[in-house]
Amino acid sequence: MTGHSVVMENALVRLEPLGGVHAEDLRAAAGDLGRIWYVDHVPSPEGVAAQIEFLLGSDNYAPWAVIDLAAGRAVGVTCMYNIDEHNRHCELGYTWLGAEAQGNGINAGLKLLVLTHAFEELGFIRAEFRCHSMNWQSRRALEKLGATYEGTLRRQRIMSNGTVRDSCIYSILDYEWPTVKCGLEARVEKTRHRSGA
């Protein structure tokens, strides 16, 4: 799969190809979260190994462990998937971060890395994000990122708990990327200065 073996790093975060070596850190990160009823892809601590196995066994996902450089450990997972090289687009997501990695620039840092990879290294013209219509935290984060809301796929997915999900679609296009990149770089730099990194 395109990009799976790539290691990427900036001042806040490193993305490494996901593997069993990250399981212990990810179990601790998942334990901080509790269960979120509208998010299927956030594992319980006991489910981390199964998630790693699933992602590594799939031809559809290019998964990375999110390494918080200040903490020196894995604090979450992010993926590129549904890659369409002919039409030069992909979906980004399946992302989760432990509670301690939220609100401190880690998400901006990982988005900067994976979007730079998609647009500048792979030459994609579109990056898409989907999230549960009730996941207001993710929706606000995507809007802050500069992604454009395109609409909602109603009753698009049956969740593991039996509820039916409406999926909101957001995207960033290649000609929008320079503006989005400037915003992400500013957020990463502000966080770096604030933390003294």
Side-chain angles (χ1 to χ4, degrees):
M1 164 111 9
T2 298
H4 177 63
S5 63
V6 175
V7 175
M8 301 173 274
E9 183 173 323
N10 57 32
L12 301 180
V13 66
R14 181 172 62 251
L15 299 183
E16 299 176 353
L18 182 66
V21 67
H22 303 110
E24 183 176 348
D25 287 347
L26 293 175
R27 277 192 291 273
D32 289 341
L33 289 172
R35 302 307 295 147
I36 305 171
W37 70 267
Y38 52 78
V39 181
D40 263 353
H41 65 270
V42 178
S44 66
E46 300 77 24
V48 163
Q51 183 180 72
I52 292 172
E53 183 178 356
F54 164 74
L55 290 172
L56 294 182
S58 172
D59 291 334
N60 193 42
Y61 292 90
W64 288 276
V66 180
I67 311 299
D68 179 342
L69 293 179
R73 62 181 176 273
V75 293
V77 171
T78 195
C79 296
M80 179 180 288
Y81 56 102
N82 290 340
I83 294 171
D84 183 340
E85 293 182 354
H86 175 74
N87 291 301
R88 295 165 51 200
H89 67 77
C90 65
E91 289 183 46
L92 302 175
Y94 212 84
T95 301
W96 64 270
L97 295 171
E100 68 179 38
Q102 297 180 22
N104 62 359
I106 296 297
N107 190 48
L110 78 86
K111 291 293 193 298
L112 177 58
L113 290 173
V114 77
L115 285 164
T116 297
H117 182 59
F119 287 117
E120 299 181 18
E121 296 168 19
L122 300 178
F124 288 172
I125 62 173
R126 173 186 171 86
E128 181 177 309
F129 306 84
R130 296 186 182 195
C131 65
H132 196 301
S133 62
M134 299 296 290
N135 189 345
W136 294 105
Q137 181 179 358
S138 289
R139 294 183 67 178
R140 283 192 299 268
L142 287 168
E143 289 161 6
K144 183 176 180 181
L145 177 69
T148 297
Y149 170 69
E150 294 187 335
T152 300
L153 298 175
R154 299 182 301 160
R155 297 180 67 78
Q156 185 258 341
R157 181 183 301 174
I158 299 174
M159 307 290 282
S160 60
N161 64 5
T163 62
V164 180
R165 163 178 152 164
D166 292 346
S167 296
C168 293
I169 301 177
Y170 292 81
S171 70
I172 298 170
L173 305 181
D174 53 349
Y175 58 81
E176 298 168 333
W177 167 235
T179 301
V180 173
K181 182 179 182 180
C182 285
L184 285 170
E185 287 177 333
R187 287 166 63 187
V188 167
E189 188 65 14
K190 181 178 179 180
T191 302
R192 188 180 71 82
H193 279 299
R194 191 167 56 233
S195 65

